[in-house]
Amino acid sequence: MEQAFLKYFKQFEPELQQEILNIGKLEEVPENTLIMDLGLPIQSIPLVLEGTVKIFREDQDGKELFLYYLEPGDACAISLVCSGRERISKIKAVSMETVKVLKVPIEKMDQWMRNFPSWYYFVVETYQYRFEELLKTVDSIAFKKMDERLLNHLRVLSEAANSYTIEATHRTIANELGTSREVISRLLKKLEQRGHIELSRNHIKIIDLFHPTPL
């Protein structure tokens, strides 16, 4: 744990690193496990040491809106925002694979913001980066056609998995993009026909998504 933490959070002052290691609780989360849930109290801030976590919103009908992924070296910006005031989760977080997180109490948030410049800049930079990601999501929904959104989402999934093979069902992708499975299946089939991907059961192999022909 210590080696992974120091690798991904080396920007923190040694004193802060030691305090986090002393009070942080290491948790190993199995694949496809709910880490945060909408409307529940946030008691800790997870620092990701291993694996990928999906952050998304969900409405009363179970429809999802994908927001972003957390990878090693990340903390959830929305949990940082929530921890400062209401301490109620506004998002859902699910492990995409076996994930290791170091959980630190949210009560330390204000103290570290005052006492450690590295924590202050980490929080600010996390806010800024995720805010830009959210703007991209809003722009995509407002201004892009579904085929463009799908292409971008496949790139994101590939980058998050660090692989050219994506493990995802058509329904999962449809939920994340807020559309129907039939629409996603039709668009994926067109991408396959044009040689950009290869489809198999619950897997999508990326061939070339950076020079796609219009669907």
Side-chain angles (χ1 to χ4, degrees), residues 5-14 16-17 73 118-119 122 125:
F5 172 74
L6 295 177
K7 174 183 177 181
Y8 291 112
F9 296 94
K10 57 186 175 182
Q11 73 271 36
F12 294 159
E13 293 95 340
L16 175 58
Q17 290 177 335
S118 64
W119 180 260
F122 173 71
E125 289 169 3

mmCIF file of all heavy atoms in Angstrom, residues 5-14 16-17 73 118-119 122 125:
data_model
loop_
_atom_site.group_PDB
_atom_site.id
_atom_site.type_symbol
_atom_site.label_atom_id
_atom_site.label_comp_id
_atom_site.label_asym_id
_atom_site.label_seq_id
_atom_site.Cartn_x
_atom_site.Cartn_y
_atom_site.Cartn_z
ATOM 1 N N PHE A 5 0.920 4.213 -2.806
ATOM 2 C CA PHE A 5 0.514 5.555 -2.410
ATOM 3 C C PHE A 5 1.603 6.575 -2.730
ATOM 4 O O PHE A 5 1.326 7.640 -3.302
ATOM 5 C CB PHE A 5 0.189 5.595 -0.912
ATOM 6 C CG PHE A 5 -0.055 6.979 -0.390
ATOM 7 C CD1 PHE A 5 -1.238 7.646 -0.680
ATOM 8 C CD2 PHE A 5 0.904 7.625 0.369
ATOM 9 C CE1 PHE A 5 -1.460 8.944 -0.217
ATOM 10 C CE2 PHE A 5 0.687 8.912 0.844
ATOM 11 C CZ PHE A 5 -0.500 9.574 0.547
ATOM 12 N N LEU A 6 2.847 6.267 -2.366
ATOM 13 C CA LEU A 6 3.943 7.201 -2.613
ATOM 14 C C LEU A 6 4.215 7.369 -4.113
ATOM 15 O O LEU A 6 4.680 8.417 -4.549
ATOM 16 C CB LEU A 6 5.207 6.726 -1.900
ATOM 17 C CG LEU A 6 5.129 6.711 -0.371
ATOM 18 C CD1 LEU A 6 6.412 6.150 0.222
ATOM 19 C CD2 LEU A 6 4.860 8.111 0.169
ATOM 20 N N LYS A 7 3.897 6.337 -4.893
ATOM 21 C CA LYS A 7 4.076 6.435 -6.348
ATOM 22 C C LYS A 7 3.083 7.401 -6.959
ATOM 23 O O LYS A 7 3.448 8.249 -7.783
ATOM 24 C CB LYS A 7 3.918 5.046 -6.978
ATOM 25 C CG LYS A 7 3.937 5.061 -8.504
ATOM 26 C CD LYS A 7 3.708 3.658 -9.063
ATOM 27 C CE LYS A 7 3.665 3.679 -10.590
ATOM 28 N NZ LYS A 7 3.424 2.317 -11.151
ATOM 29 N N TYR A 8 1.807 7.292 -6.558
ATOM 30 C CA TYR A 8 0.758 8.072 -7.212
ATOM 31 C C TYR A 8 0.461 9.407 -6.529
ATOM 32 O O TYR A 8 -0.173 10.280 -7.125
ATOM 33 C CB TYR A 8 -0.529 7.254 -7.293
ATOM 34 C CG TYR A 8 -0.431 6.097 -8.252
ATOM 35 C CD1 TYR A 8 -0.448 4.777 -7.792
ATOM 36 C CD2 TYR A 8 -0.289 6.303 -9.624
ATOM 37 C CE1 TYR A 8 -0.354 3.706 -8.671
ATOM 38 C CE2 TYR A 8 -0.188 5.244 -10.504
ATOM 39 C CZ TYR A 8 -0.224 3.952 -10.026
ATOM 40 O OH TYR A 8 -0.119 2.899 -10.907
ATOM 41 N N PHE A 9 0.908 9.570 -5.301
ATOM 42 C CA PHE A 9 0.646 10.823 -4.583
ATOM 43 C C PHE A 9 1.951 11.409 -4.050
ATOM 44 O O PHE A 9 2.019 11.918 -2.926
ATOM 45 C CB PHE A 9 -0.359 10.576 -3.453
ATOM 46 C CG PHE A 9 -1.713 10.145 -3.941
ATOM 47 C CD1 PHE A 9 -2.030 8.787 -4.033
ATOM 48 C CD2 PHE A 9 -2.666 11.066 -4.338
ATOM 49 C CE1 PHE A 9 -3.269 8.368 -4.506
ATOM 50 C CE2 PHE A 9 -3.911 10.665 -4.816
ATOM 51 C CZ PHE A 9 -4.208 9.314 -4.894
ATOM 52 N N LYS A 10 2.977 11.371 -4.894
ATOM 53 C CA LYS A 10 4.290 11.854 -4.488
ATOM 54 C C LYS A 10 4.357 13.361 -4.368
ATOM 55 O O LYS A 10 5.327 13.910 -3.838
ATOM 56 C CB LYS A 10 5.352 11.361 -5.478
ATOM 57 C CG LYS A 10 5.097 11.776 -6.922
ATOM 58 C CD LYS A 10 6.114 11.118 -7.843
ATOM 59 C CE LYS A 10 5.820 11.424 -9.308
ATOM 60 N NZ LYS A 10 6.783 10.737 -10.217
ATOM 61 N N GLN A 11 3.319 14.074 -4.865
ATOM 62 C CA GLN A 11 3.329 15.531 -4.787
ATOM 63 C C GLN A 11 3.030 16.049 -3.385
ATOM 64 O O GLN A 11 3.257 17.213 -3.087
ATOM 65 C CB GLN A 11 2.315 16.125 -5.782
ATOM 66 C CG GLN A 11 0.838 15.958 -5.395
ATOM 67 C CD GLN A 11 0.232 14.673 -5.907
ATOM 68 O OE1 GLN A 11 0.903 13.649 -5.947
ATOM 69 N NE2 GLN A 11 -1.027 14.718 -6.308
ATOM 70 N N PHE A 12 2.517 15.192 -2.500
ATOM 71 C CA PHE A 12 2.189 15.624 -1.146
ATOM 72 C C PHE A 12 3.446 15.784 -0.294
ATOM 73 O O PHE A 12 4.421 15.036 -0.463
ATOM 74 C CB PHE A 12 1.259 14.617 -0.467
ATOM 75 C CG PHE A 12 -0.113 14.518 -1.093
ATOM 76 C CD1 PHE A 12 -0.888 13.388 -0.893
ATOM 77 C CD2 PHE A 12 -0.638 15.551 -1.851
ATOM 78 C CE1 PHE A 12 -2.155 13.280 -1.449
ATOM 79 C CE2 PHE A 12 -1.898 15.453 -2.416
ATOM 80 C CZ PHE A 12 -2.662 14.317 -2.217
ATOM 81 N N GLU A 13 3.403 16.740 0.641
ATOM 82 C CA GLU A 13 4.511 16.909 1.584
ATOM 83 C C GLU A 13 4.711 15.621 2.387
ATOM 84 O O GLU A 13 3.746 14.902 2.670
ATOM 85 C CB GLU A 13 4.221 18.049 2.559
ATOM 86 C CG GLU A 13 4.170 19.432 1.936
ATOM 87 C CD GLU A 13 2.758 19.861 1.567
ATOM 88 O OE1 GLU A 13 1.885 18.971 1.440
ATOM 89 O OE2 GLU A 13 2.527 21.061 1.410
ATOM 90 N N PRO A 14 5.954 15.314 2.757
ATOM 91 C CA PRO A 14 6.212 14.100 3.547
ATOM 92 C C PRO A 14 5.352 14.010 4.805
ATOM 93 O O PRO A 14 4.888 12.917 5.163
ATOM 94 C CB PRO A 14 7.700 14.219 3.896
ATOM 95 C CG PRO A 14 8.278 15.020 2.764
ATOM 96 C CD PRO A 14 7.201 15.999 2.388
ATOM 97 N N LEU A 16 2.335 15.222 5.239
ATOM 98 C CA LEU A 16 0.979 14.862 4.828
ATOM 99 C C LEU A 16 0.923 13.406 4.396
ATOM 100 O O LEU A 16 -0.025 12.682 4.725
ATOM 101 C CB LEU A 16 0.510 15.772 3.695
ATOM 102 C CG LEU A 16 -0.857 15.439 3.076
ATOM 103 C CD1 LEU A 16 -1.961 15.460 4.134
ATOM 104 C CD2 LEU A 16 -1.185 16.405 1.943
ATOM 105 N N GLN A 17 1.916 12.957 3.655
ATOM 106 C CA GLN A 17 1.964 11.561 3.240
ATOM 107 C C GLN A 17 1.911 10.636 4.448
ATOM 108 O O GLN A 17 1.159 9.658 4.464
ATOM 109 C CB GLN A 17 3.241 11.293 2.426
ATOM 110 C CG GLN A 17 3.246 11.938 1.051
ATOM 111 C CD GLN A 17 4.558 11.705 0.326
ATOM 112 O OE1 GLN A 17 5.592 11.482 0.957
ATOM 113 N NE2 GLN A 17 4.527 11.772 -0.996
ATOM 114 N N GLY A 73 -4.145 7.477 -8.591
ATOM 115 C CA GLY A 73 -3.694 8.857 -8.429
ATOM 116 C C GLY A 73 -4.822 9.861 -8.370
ATOM 117 O O GLY A 73 -4.590 11.052 -8.155
ATOM 118 N N SER A 118 0.159 21.374 -0.774
ATOM 119 C CA SER A 118 0.037 20.330 -1.799
ATOM 120 C C SER A 118 -1.379 19.758 -1.837
ATOM 121 O O SER A 118 -1.895 19.433 -2.902
ATOM 122 C CB SER A 118 1.045 19.200 -1.546
ATOM 123 O OG SER A 118 0.763 18.540 -0.317
ATOM 124 N N TRP A 119 -2.014 19.626 -0.673
ATOM 125 C CA TRP A 119 -3.395 19.146 -0.639
ATOM 126 C C TRP A 119 -4.319 20.191 -1.236
ATOM 127 O O TRP A 119 -5.240 19.856 -1.997
ATOM 128 C CB TRP A 119 -3.813 18.810 0.786
ATOM 129 C CG TRP A 119 -5.240 18.309 0.876
ATOM 130 C CD1 TRP A 119 -6.339 19.023 1.241
ATOM 131 C CD2 TRP A 119 -5.713 16.994 0.567
ATOM 132 N NE1 TRP A 119 -7.475 18.248 1.190
ATOM 133 C CE2 TRP A 119 -7.126 16.992 0.781
ATOM 134 C CE3 TRP A 119 -5.091 15.819 0.139
ATOM 135 C CZ2 TRP A 119 -7.900 15.858 0.578
ATOM 136 C CZ3 TRP A 119 -5.876 14.689 -0.067
ATOM 137 C CH2 TRP A 119 -7.261 14.721 0.148
ATOM 138 N N PHE A 122 -3.918 20.030 -4.936
ATOM 139 C CA PHE A 122 -4.492 18.770 -5.420
ATOM 140 C C PHE A 122 -6.003 18.891 -5.546
ATOM 141 O O PHE A 122 -6.586 18.501 -6.563
ATOM 142 C CB PHE A 122 -4.129 17.635 -4.458
ATOM 143 C CG PHE A 122 -4.797 16.329 -4.777
ATOM 144 C CD1 PHE A 122 -4.437 15.586 -5.886
ATOM 145 C CD2 PHE A 122 -5.796 15.827 -3.942
ATOM 146 C CE1 PHE A 122 -5.048 14.367 -6.170
ATOM 147 C CE2 PHE A 122 -6.419 14.620 -4.221
ATOM 148 C CZ PHE A 122 -6.042 13.889 -5.338
ATOM 149 N N GLU A 125 -6.859 21.503 -8.408
ATOM 150 C CA GLU A 125 -6.594 20.944 -9.734
ATOM 151 C C GLU A 125 -7.585 19.824 -10.070
ATOM 152 O O GLU A 125 -7.989 19.675 -11.228
ATOM 153 C CB GLU A 125 -5.156 20.422 -9.797
ATOM 154 C CG GLU A 125 -4.120 21.551 -9.815
ATOM 155 C CD GLU A 125 -2.710 21.043 -9.605
ATOM 156 O OE1 GLU A 125 -2.528 19.811 -9.499
ATOM 157 O OE2 GLU A 125 -1.785 21.884 -9.531
#
